[in-house]
Amino acid sequence: MKSLLLLSLLLTACIYPNAPYTASSETSAQNQSFINVDGPALKSRLEAAIKQGSSQQKRFWTAYGFDVRPGIAFDAVIIGSGGSRTVINGSMVNSRFETRNVGIFLLHEKDGRSIVRAEIYNLERAREYAGYPVYWLGRGGAEESLNLLRSLIGTVGSIEAADRLTDAIGAHDDPRVAAILKDLIRSSKVERVRTTAVSWLGHLPGESAFLAALVRDERESVEVRKEAAEAIGESPDGEAPALLQTLYRSVAHREVKREILEAVTDSESEEQAVKFLIEVAEREPDRELRKEAIEGLGEKEDSRSFQALEKIANDSDAGIELQKAAVEAIGERPEDQALPLLKKIARTHPGSEVRREVIEHLGEVAGQTSFLVEIARNEAENLDVRRAAVEAIAESRNDESISILKQLYAAISNKELKQEIIESFEDCADRKAAIDFLLEVARGDSDHHSRERAFSTLGDMDDDRAIDALTQLYDSERNEALKAEILSALGDSNNSRSVKKLMEVAKGDPSIKLRKKAISLLGESEHPEAVKFLEGLVR
């Protein structure tokens, strides 16, 4: 359970209002038109409800309330500032958002013999329960409820239902919960039940040693070991951060070690976490794990982790991939901290691949177009880096990107970069303006190769207006070599308009060479009209 993520969400959202917790949920049940079932014990009431429900010849619910641990939210609606709605289930929250009045709901087949679904619902929220009747068993005592749920887990028909029953056990406010969860971890044949039990165990004090044994156990499934590492990271036990570091050094499996690093990153002990992540990022022999540690440093806010990322980004011995990972992690920091360093790396780093990584990131940041233009226009700059700047401008979704690219095209003399600018118009958001510019280049540019690149870019745009422009260009062009290039661009698009023009050329163009070219392109097409046309030629 990613409780930290949910807590950050809760800080910027309003939760669906919950009525104050009461000692009994019968009032809520009556308000929702449940069918009350009497009996001396929970199990006998369940049996009576199944008997009553089975006589109705349709599916039905049985349900009861139980004492849920503080600090947990079930079936709670988060309403974001834009009106978005997110339901959280079984997540740790602060006391302001907890849901204390909940019930476990079991959906039975019409014969009552099998449970096809299990849910934990917030009784303060009105719902229709899929139109099925609900037989309300009142409130279950902790011991009888836990015993019932434990007995049902192995009998329900779906993994999802078994998983939800495990959630219900973990949510009980009772000291027996830990022992039952451990029993499920040891004995259940359903891995999802086991991982869910591990996750809940991580929120109980004093269970770190048990979880650590799972992490170390090489006979255990990788998923259970990973979940145990995550659970230690969320544990209330004070020794958890140090324990995770000890476990990292003692286990060999990469995926388990990766999960430990994530748990360390998420731990509340910032100083210990940063120190350990720097150590792994700089010294770990496994480069994939070093990359994981670098990503973790990107999630921190302190100056020490930021300095470590700068060091790695500039360390040639680290290798290109780790340097790029450091750049990406720097980009995750607040803009006022990250942008000055990223620009410095973009200007001064000796590795063009690293500088390209920086520029790609800057293209995603608002207000960085002028810096990208500076890089693109710098004739002393590496050509690949200048290309990256052009691509970033085109993909920036800036309203002025087309105007900026047109100005760059006019100002730049390097032919390869001019062709890169032409190609970049395929990615511009304003398709009409992009097509108009490409059409201008295709009609009148003095450079033959630039005109050819404009043809091919129009063909790649997958836009009817671009195909119509190519068709007009073909009809007005007199140079046979350029007409052949236009045909190739039409062949690349492979839509109905382009196929129609190719068929027209194949049937009646004065140039035999161009007719053959059109037929060849139609032969490469899978468009049904092209296939039909070629079959007609064969006949």
Side-chain angles (χ1 to χ4, degrees):
M1 289 179 289
K2 302 294 184 182
S3 55
L4 292 177
L5 175 62
L6 286 166
L7 280 172
S8 66
L9 177 62
L10 288 167
L11 291 174
T12 57
C14 297
I15 198 163
Y16 189 99
N18 293 311
Y21 169 69
T22 59
S24 172
S25 55
E26 278 79 3
T27 301
S28 298
Q30 290 170 0
N31 290 340
Q32 298 192 52
S33 301
F34 294 169
I35 302 165
N36 289 310
V37 179
D38 296 324
L42 180 62
K43 187 174 181 181
S44 63
R45 295 196 296 272
L46 176 63
E47 292 171 351
I50 291 173
K51 185 176 181 180
Q52 290 182 53
S54 301
S55 66
Q56 302 299 314
Q57 293 301 303
K58 64 177 181 178
R59 286 183 170 184
F60 60 93
W61 297 94
T62 59
Y64 66 90
F66 64 93
D67 290 337
V68 65
R69 283 198 293 119
I72 299 175
F74 279 104
D75 190 23
V77 177
I78 304 298
I79 303 176
S81 56
S84 62
R85 295 166 67 88
T86 303
V87 178
I88 57 174
N89 267 312
S91 296
M92 306 303 296
V93 296
N94 64 41
S95 59
R96 179 184 173 191
F97 304 116
E98 64 188 13
T99 51
R100 302 301 303 278
N101 195 7
V102 301
I104 178 73
F105 285 71
L106 309 174
L107 182 61
H108 299 258
E109 282 289 11
K110 59 186 180 181
D111 60 5
R113 293 176 184 170
S114 58
I115 295 170
V116 294
R117 184 176 162 193
E119 300 290 350
I120 303 172
Y121 286 139
N122 176 6
L123 292 167
E124 307 300 339
R125 287 187 64 199
R127 60 176 67 249
E128 296 180 358
Y129 302 99
Y132 299 124
V134 178
Y135 292 88
W136 183 250
L137 313 182
R139 197 164 195 85
E143 183 175 5
E144 60 180 354
S145 174
L146 288 170
N147 289 339
L148 175 63
L149 294 171
R150 178 64 185 90
S151 67
L152 290 175
I153 284 177
T155 65
V156 292
S158 75
I159 291 174
E160 290 76 14
D163 183 50
R164 212 66 185 135
L165 294 173
T166 308
D167 281 333
I169 289 173
H172 272 66
D173 189 14
D174 189 272
R176 286 164 286 207
V177 167
I180 296 172
L181 292 174
K182 289 179 182 178
D183 178 54
L184 287 171
I185 294 165
R186 294 187 185 103
S187 63
S188 178
K189 292 181 171 56
V190 181
E191 184 166 75
R192 188 159 156 188
V193 167
R194 300 181 68 223
T195 55
T196 298
V198 168
S199 179
W200 280 104
L201 196 63
H203 294 287
L204 299 177
E207 300 301 337
S208 293
F210 179 87
L211 294 168
L214 291 176
V215 175
R216 292 190 183 97
D217 190 352
E218 295 183 357
R219 298 166 300 177
E220 187 55 87
S221 78
V222 172
E223 291 306 312
V224 168
R225 296 176 72 189
K226 288 167 59 179
E227 193 67 44
E230 182 179 344
I232 292 171
E234 296 180 348
S235 168
D237 296 348
E239 72 273 15
L243 177 58
L244 286 169
Q245 295 176 35
T246 300
L247 287 170
Y248 183 87
R249 297 183 180 101
S250 65
V251 302
H253 198 286
R254 175 189 280 176
E255 291 306 308
V256 178
K257 291 173 84 76
R258 190 192 302 274
E259 194 67 39
I260 293 172
L261 285 175
E262 288 187 14
V264 170
T265 300
D266 294 338
S267 70
E268 295 181 1
S269 179
E270 285 286 300
E271 186 174 347
Q272 285 188 58
V274 168
K275 181 179 179 182
F276 182 67
L277 290 171
I278 291 173
E279 177 187 327
V280 175
E282 293 181 348
R283 302 177 188 174
E284 167 65 56
D286 187 319
R287 301 184 76 79
E288 289 300 314
L289 293 174
R290 289 180 71 181
K291 189 181 293 186
E292 190 76 36
I294 289 169
E295 291 175 6
L297 290 171
E299 297 179 25
K300 299 302 178 183
E301 298 179 356
D302 65 299
S303 60
R304 188 178 177 192
S305 60
F306 191 68
Q307 291 165 3
L309 290 172
E310 181 178 7
K311 177 182 175 183
I312 296 167
N314 289 294
D315 182 5
S316 58
D317 292 337
I320 296 296
E321 290 307 312
L322 291 181
Q323 288 178 300
K324 288 166 68 175
V327 164
E328 187 175 342
I330 291 168
E332 295 297 319
R333 305 296 280 258
E335 287 185 7
D336 61 343
Q337 186 182 48
L339 289 178
L341 178 55
L342 290 172
K343 290 180 179 179
K344 177 183 175 183
I345 295 171
R347 287 191 177 104
T348 64
H349 199 283
S352 61
E353 287 190 55
V354 175
R355 294 163 73 193
R356 283 179 63 96
E357 184 77 21
V358 173
I359 288 167
E360 288 175 11
H361 176 80
L362 291 174
E364 299 171 359
V365 180
Q368 301 307 309
T369 306
S370 60
F371 178 80
L372 297 171
V373 169
E374 174 193 327
I375 297 292
R377 296 190 67 164
N378 185 357
E379 294 186 359
E381 183 58 86
N382 176 280
L383 182 58
D384 284 340
V385 174
R386 296 176 75 188
R387 281 175 170 159
V390 168
E391 291 173 9
I393 293 168
E395 295 173 2
S396 67
R397 303 304 178 188
N398 187 322
D399 292 340
E400 299 178 355
S401 59
I402 286 183
S403 174
I404 292 167
L405 289 170
K406 289 170 71 173
Q407 292 172 23
L408 279 174
Y409 187 81
I412 287 171
S413 59
N414 184 285
K415 291 184 177 181
E416 289 185 54
L417 193 58
K418 288 175 82 75
Q419 291 181 30
E420 183 69 40
I421 293 172
I422 291 170
E423 287 186 2
S424 73
F425 275 83
E426 182 184 348
D427 299 319
C428 290
D430 188 341
R431 306 293 276 177
K432 183 180 183 304
I435 291 169
D436 288 345
F437 172 76
L438 292 170
L439 194 55
E440 181 184 330
V441 173
R443 280 176 174 154
D445 199 285
S446 59
D447 183 69
H448 177 87
H449 295 294
S450 292
R451 295 184 70 188
E452 289 181 355
R453 191 62 57 94
F455 298 151
S456 63
T457 303
L458 284 166
D460 290 338
M461 289 185 76
D462 192 26
D463 190 297
D464 288 346
R465 293 168 295 183
I467 301 306
D468 291 343
L470 284 171
T471 299
Q472 294 169 18
L473 286 168
Y474 184 88
D475 293 340
S476 62
E477 183 59 59
R478 295 292 174 261
N479 183 297
E480 190 173 84
L482 287 177
K483 288 174 81 77
E485 291 295 334
I486 296 171
L487 289 179
S488 294
L490 288 167
D492 288 339
S493 66
N494 198 39
N495 72 4
S496 296
R497 276 178 160 82
S498 60
V499 168
K500 181 180 178 181
K501 184 59 181 176
L502 290 173
M503 292 190 296
E504 179 187 312
V505 173
K507 286 190 291 187
D509 197 280
S511 168
I512 294 176
K513 183 177 180 181
L514 293 174
R515 290 169 68 183
K516 287 181 177 179
K517 174 80 171 177
I519 291 171
S520 175
L521 290 167
L522 288 166
E524 296 171 6
S525 172
E526 296 181 359
H527 195 284
E529 289 298 317
V531 175
K532 183 178 178 181
F533 175 80
L534 293 172
E535 288 175 347
L537 288 181
V538 172
R539 294 193 191 98

